[in-house]
Amino acid sequence: AQTVTQSQPEMSVQEAETVTLSCTYDTSESDYYLFWYKQPPSRQMILVIRQEAYKQQNATENRFSVNFQKAAKSFSLKISDSQLGDAAMYFCAYNRGDSNYQLIWGAGTKLIIKP
Amino acid sequence: ETGVTQSPTHLIKTRGQQVTLRCSSQSGHNTVSWYQQALGQGPQFIFQYYREEENGRGNFPPRFSGLQFPNYSSELNVNALELDDSALYLCAAKRGGAYQETQYFGPGTRLLVL
């Protein structure tokens, strides 16, 4: 069975600095999708970034980028120039990439931004 | 805004009761998934509907059931509520047939079972 592990329950970073959130996963599939979602106190899950496993190039979205290491089954999120609005729970999620769109989630990392 | 709405936002029930949670999404989002998120945890997949048929289910008992309607709205029904059913319930909608499409989440319904 696929699993997703986030080993950092909480991380804090000074505003404008860079922070990296860790995620590891376990799967026997060769093709799949990985996601980082943000859940602010408003509770609504917002997609931050996604990575297709068949793509070697790491995904980037403005200040957000990932370090995807397929062999190590690692998928970390780097947030550059951290802003107060980045404070939230961040969840790493896995999808098998077929017609079953089920997302398997990590336990989340709470990101605190210090002004 | 994701175009996905859920009602009610909060709900309090007692053990043994039944509850119906609702989700609405924009036209074309013919795949809807429901997740249960216990406090301090990541979401757990309950089930998924595509074109009004259940086509995927997580490790949840049959007292969790659902419906999807032609207007892209959906319901999650839970019978015989238990204390452990207290959680945030999220629905996510997307266009089916192309798994590259992004899932859009609603703001959730917070259910408290006493």
Side-chain angles (χ1 to χ4, degrees):
Chain A
Q2 296 91 357
T3 58
V4 176
T5 302
Q6 294 178 249
S7 59
Q8 306 155 315
E10 186 175 297
M11 291 283 286
S12 62
V13 63
Q14 207 71 35
E15 191 177 4
E17 293 189 345
T18 296
V19 64
T20 298
L21 308 184
S22 301
C23 173
T24 59
Y25 59 94
D26 189 25
T27 183
S28 58
E29 304 287 337
S30 59
D31 195 17
Y32 48 87
Y33 290 74
L34 295 165
F35 306 84
W36 278 98
Y37 278 88
K38 169 185 177 181
Q39 187 178 39
S42 66
R43 310 181 316 203
Q44 192 147 16
M45 285 286 187
I46 302 166
L47 178 65
V48 174
I49 199 166
R50 76 177 199 181
Q51 174 80 42
E52 292 87 344
Y54 63 86
K55 290 185 178 178
Q56 293 187 343
Q57 187 173 7
N58 289 325
T60 62
E61 287 288 341
N62 300 314
R63 298 183 293 109
F64 299 87
S65 62
V66 298
N67 184 4
F68 173 49
Q69 302 287 329
K70 191 173 184 179
K73 296 180 181 175
S74 170
F75 182 61
S76 59
L77 174 69
K78 186 172 82 171
I79 305 174
S80 304
D81 186 24
S82 298
Q83 300 175 1
L84 294 177
D86 295 334
M89 286 292 295
Y90 284 80
F91 290 94
C92 178
Y94 164 98
N95 174 262
R96 204 164 64 198
D98 56 13
S99 60
N100 182 341
Y101 306 126
Q102 172 186 353
L103 289 169
I104 298 169
W105 302 77
T109 296
K110 182 179 182 179
L111 179 63
I112 298 169
I113 310 294
K114 298 177 182 177
Chain B
E1 286 298 320
T2 64
V4 180
T5 59
Q6 291 186 244
S7 63
T9 55
H10 296 83
L11 201 52
I12 300 175
K13 291 285 187 179
T14 56
R15 194 170 50 182
Q17 284 189 313
Q18 179 266 343
V19 68
T20 297
L21 310 182
R22 294 179 173 82
C23 173
S24 294
S25 63
Q26 58 186 270
S27 177
H29 286 175
N30 55 10
T31 299
V32 64
S33 301
W34 285 89
Y35 292 84
Q36 180 195 66
Q37 185 179 14
L39 198 61
Q41 298 182 22
Q44 297 288 321
F45 175 72
I46 302 174
F47 46 56
Q48 172 181 285
Y49 278 78
Y50 174 61
R51 292 183 176 177
E52 302 167 47
E53 299 265 346
E54 183 182 304
N55 72 340
R57 190 176 186 91
N59 189 25
F60 280 81
R63 60 189 185 84
F64 285 79
S65 63
L67 286 171
Q68 186 186 26
F69 302 99
N71 65 354
Y72 305 107
S73 65
S74 174
E75 287 182 357
L76 164 64
N77 299 290
V78 187
N79 294 322
L81 283 167
E82 301 177 359
L83 298 180
D84 285 348
D85 296 334
S86 295
L88 179 67
Y89 288 85
L90 299 168
C91 79
K94 69 186 293 296
R95 286 187 292 168
Y99 51 81
Q100 300 91 336
E101 294 285 344
T102 297
Q103 292 195 50
Y104 295 96
F105 282 83
T109 294
R110 175 76 68 190
L111 173 65
L112 177 61
V113 182
L114 302 175

